Amino acid sequence: MTDSETTRGRLRAFAVALAGGVAAVGGSYAAAGLTPAFAAAPVSAVVVANTPDAVVTWSIQTLGDLGHQLGFALALALTVGLFGAAVGAAGALADRFGLPGWPFAGLAAVAVAFGLSGALGPGLAAGAGAAAVVAAAEFGVRTAPDRSAVRRRVLRAAAASAAIGGVGVVLGSRRGGDSTGGSPAADVSADVRELLTEADGKSLDVSGIEPLVSRDFYQVDINSVDPDLNAESWSLRVTGAVDEPRDFDYETLTGMDAEDRFVTLRCVGESLNGQKMDTAVWTGVAVTDLLGDLPGECCVMARAADDFFEEFPLAALEDALLAYEMNGEALPRGHGYPVRLLVPGHWGEINVKWLTELEVLEEPQDGYWEKRGWHGTGPVETVAKLHAVNHLDDGRVQVGGHAYAGTRGIEQVEVSTDGGETWTTARLSDPLAETDAGEGESWSGPDVWRQWEHTYDPDGPHEVVVRATDATGTLQPREESEAFPSGPTGWVSRRVEP
Ligand SMILES: Nc1nc2c(c(=O)[nH]1)N[C@H]1C(S)=C(S)[C@@H](COP(=O)(O)O)O[C@H]1N2
Ligand SMILES: [Mo]
């Protein structure tokens, strides 16, 4: 063989191995969807776990959600690389013995997939994808009349692998994704339906802002692939400084008297006028109803199936809810199926999803985000958002948004249309029902946002500024700060052209 033939042969083997890797990932995704059974899921978890804290923090601040997507793209590339290496090695081995490569490529892909996620179906699908592409390439090369036909056929096999990947994406996105436990909307209890109707009726008629119960609830996760838990095998362990560790299953929890509550969540890492603040009606059991009062003075560590963990004062659990329904349906997978914690008035991060354990601590410890420099375990800051600037047909301008102050509640929102010189009181949506926390319970108040709206005659270009006052009479702080480390503060302002 000449040098150039050897080089060509190697290139060809590389291209086939890579195509086999892509097809294996496509096959795995087709069978698993975006669930932990997908071969890239454990790779992604390893990438997340091995990203230095400083890089995570920097990425959140400067790249936002893009950083998350880049991390997942890296995990996908690594997974293709792993499969490709296995397919390539299998092909080289088969070649040495003069055997066809495709069965070995297929087996190698099954082994890699199974080794990664331990799931048999997606493993077999990965193997089938890799075997098909390698078989097509081998057949094409063997029967090619000349060298340029060889190249064309290898390229065709690569194109086939892209097609398998594409079909995998279509099939996989049907299966995995944000599936819920799936109780049909017809099952929605009369109580929840009443609350949803109430929220609908109280929502202001302002285009461009979410209604009082969000249509599109934001989602923030440490991982790209969410846990896919089974309610039947789920349990909540109570451990640490307790008399005796205890265990509660889903049936026990859902068999108890339930409460329905409006709760707003807001992420400490969002930008001041960002969109990571939303509201739903949640159904669940008060933590104290299930556990009684937990002993201790200090704090509690909440742990989850995705290895997330957050610590906060034990006292905050007194008002907390173990939620298993959202807007009357089983908790969607992306929001913590089967059970999540809701801690009224606190930043989103301690509202732990896929909850598996509450450990009572005697000494404070850092949670997942606090280890990375954040301070997001306390009560939320007061905020008024400005999301809608509507130019009405009659020439007037309508501005609107949401205001939220945790369990302190919102008392008023003021709007300035002259850059903060003068202020007018905005119209507020009526407060949502103070849902009953049950007899003898000490729940501090409704933890829910309100909408605000102001319509006026504009007079040339101007600066709109908005600020909220909470129900303790405290004005939202004017001082501007970034999200890192303890949540964004400041008054939202926006230049408006009439
Ligand atoms: N198990 C687990 N719980 C979690 C998170 C997570 O990554 N894993 N993210 C937290 C953060 S930072 C926020 S802001 C809220 C968001 O809840 P949502 O995704 O339901 O909107 O969940 C919190 N609970
Ligand atoms: Mo968050």
Side-chain angles (χ1 to χ4, degrees), residues 319-360:
D319 296 337
L321 193 71
L322 293 162
Y324 53 83
E325 282 183 15
M326 182 180 187
N327 299 329
E329 297 184 32
L331 218 52
R333 182 174 148 225
H335 294 293
Y337 183 84
V339 178
R340 82 176 300 166
L341 194 59
L342 292 175
V343 189
H346 288 67
W347 292 112
E349 63 171 56
I350 67 168
N351 293 258
V352 173
K353 306 188 275 189
W354 312 290
L355 184 71
T356 55
E357 183 182 348
L358 291 172
E359 183 191 0
V360 178

Side-chain angles (χ1 to χ4, degrees), residues 217-222 265 267 304 306 308 334-335 340 348-349 351-354 369:
F217 203 105
Y218 83 94
Q219 199 182 320
V220 174
D221 306 309
I222 54 166
L265 288 182
C267 184
D306 58 347
F308 184 67
H335 294 293
R340 82 176 300 166
E349 63 171 56
N351 293 258
V352 173
K353 306 188 275 189
W354 312 290
W369 286 117

Side-chain angles (χ1 to χ4, degrees), residues 116-172:
L116 283 173
S117 75
L120 190 58
L124 292 176
V133 164
V134 174
E138 285 180 335
F139 179 78
V141 168
R142 192 154 27 85
T143 57
D146 57 39
R147 194 191 288 157
S148 72
V150 166
R151 178 156 10 108
R152 272 199 310 278
R153 288 173 184 200
V154 169
L155 286 177
R156 218 177 289 157
S161 80
I164 291 179
V167 171
V169 168
V170 172
L171 291 178

Side-chain angles (χ1 to χ4, degrees), residues 427-452:
R427 183 161 70 102
L428 281 181
S429 59
D430 286 335
L432 288 167
E434 221 169 296
T435 38
D436 188 7
E439 206 140 334
E441 296 299 331
S442 64
W443 182 33
S444 35
D447 176 29
V448 61
W449 67 9
R450 292 171 79 170
Q451 294 170 318
W452 65 269

Side-chain angles (χ1 to χ4, degrees), residues 86-455:
V87 167
L93 191 69
D95 204 34
R96 176 137 4 125
F97 294 103
L99 294 167
W102 65 267
F104 295 89
L107 284 176
V110 172
V112 169
F114 193 72
L116 283 173
S117 75
L120 190 58
L124 292 176
V133 164
V134 174
E138 285 180 335
F139 179 78
V141 168
R142 192 154 27 85
T143 57
D146 57 39
R147 194 191 288 157
S148 72
V150 166
R151 178 156 10 108
R152 272 199 310 278
R153 288 173 184 200
V154 169
L155 286 177
R156 218 177 289 157
S161 80
I164 291 179
V167 171
V169 168
V170 172
L171 291 178
S173 51
R174 290 213 196 131
R175 320 180 38 92
D178 201 20
S179 65
T180 69
S183 54
D187 281 3
V188 173
S189 75
D191 289 352
V192 169
R193 203 167 313 141
E194 204 172 294
L195 293 177
L196 292 171
T197 306
E198 178 192 340
D200 206 34
K202 287 180 174 173
S203 293
L204 298 179
D205 184 20
V206 178
S207 80
I209 62 174
E210 282 275 20
L212 286 170
V213 166
S214 302
R215 269 192 214 105
D216 182 18
F217 203 105
Y218 83 94
Q219 199 182 320
V220 174
D221 306 309
I222 54 166
N223 287 309
S224 297
V225 181
D226 294 333
D228 194 11
L229 304 184
N230 187 331
E232 276 93 71
S233 53
W234 175 87
S235 75
L236 173 65
R237 289 182 300 284
V238 182
T239 62
V242 287
D243 295 340
E244 200 180 336
R246 285 180 289 168
D247 228 318
F248 299 90
D249 62 15
Y250 190 74
E251 220 187 314
T252 308
L253 186 72
T254 51
M256 295 179 61
D257 278 347
E259 255 180 62
D260 307 309
R261 289 188 196 171
F262 289 108
V263 176
T264 300
L265 288 182
R266 183 183 177 205
C267 184
V268 70
E270 73 156 1
S271 59
L272 179 62
N273 201 31
Q275 305 272 5
K276 287 178 181 152
M277 178 167 104
D278 279 297
T279 301
V281 176
W282 309 83
T283 302
V285 172
V287 172
T288 47
D289 281 357
L290 186 72
L291 307 180
D293 279 321
L294 289 171
E297 315 269 86
C298 175
C299 26
V300 61
M301 183 70 85
R303 295 183 205 278
D306 58 347
D307 291 336
F308 184 67
F309 53 97
E310 280 298 343
E311 183 255 34
F312 53 92
L314 198 55
L317 267 191
E318 269 171 39
D319 296 337
L321 193 71
L322 293 162
Y324 53 83
E325 282 183 15
M326 182 180 187
N327 299 329
E329 297 184 32
L331 218 52
R333 182 174 148 225
H335 294 293
Y337 183 84
V339 178
R340 82 176 300 166
L341 194 59
L342 292 175
V343 189
H346 288 67
W347 292 112
E349 63 171 56
I350 67 168
N351 293 258
V352 173
K353 306 188 275 189
W354 312 290
L355 184 71
T356 55
E357 183 182 348
L358 291 172
E359 183 191 0
V360 178
L361 303 176
E362 281 167 338
E363 296 289 328
Q365 279 178 30
D366 278 339
Y368 181 95
W369 286 117
E370 284 51 52
K371 278 181 188 287
R372 289 157 178 81
W374 290 82
H375 302 295
T377 64
V380 292
E381 295 278 356
T382 300
V383 71
K385 308 242 179 190
L386 170 49
H387 284 158
V389 177
N390 299 323
H391 296 272
L392 305 183
D393 290 342
D394 60 9
R396 291 184 304 161
V397 169
Q398 178 189 53
V399 288
H402 296 86
Y404 176 54
T407 50
R408 297 184 298 278
I410 288 291
E411 178 163 296
Q412 70 165 4
V413 169
E414 295 166 285
V415 185
S416 169
T417 56
D418 55 12
E421 299 276 314
T422 59
W423 296 87
T424 318
T425 309
R427 183 161 70 102
L428 281 181
S429 59
D430 286 335
L432 288 167
E434 221 169 296
T435 38
D436 188 7
E439 206 140 334
E441 296 299 331
S442 64
W443 182 33
S444 35
D447 176 29
V448 61
W449 67 9
R450 292 171 79 170
Q451 294 170 318
W452 65 269
E453 177 272 348
H454 179 59
T455 301

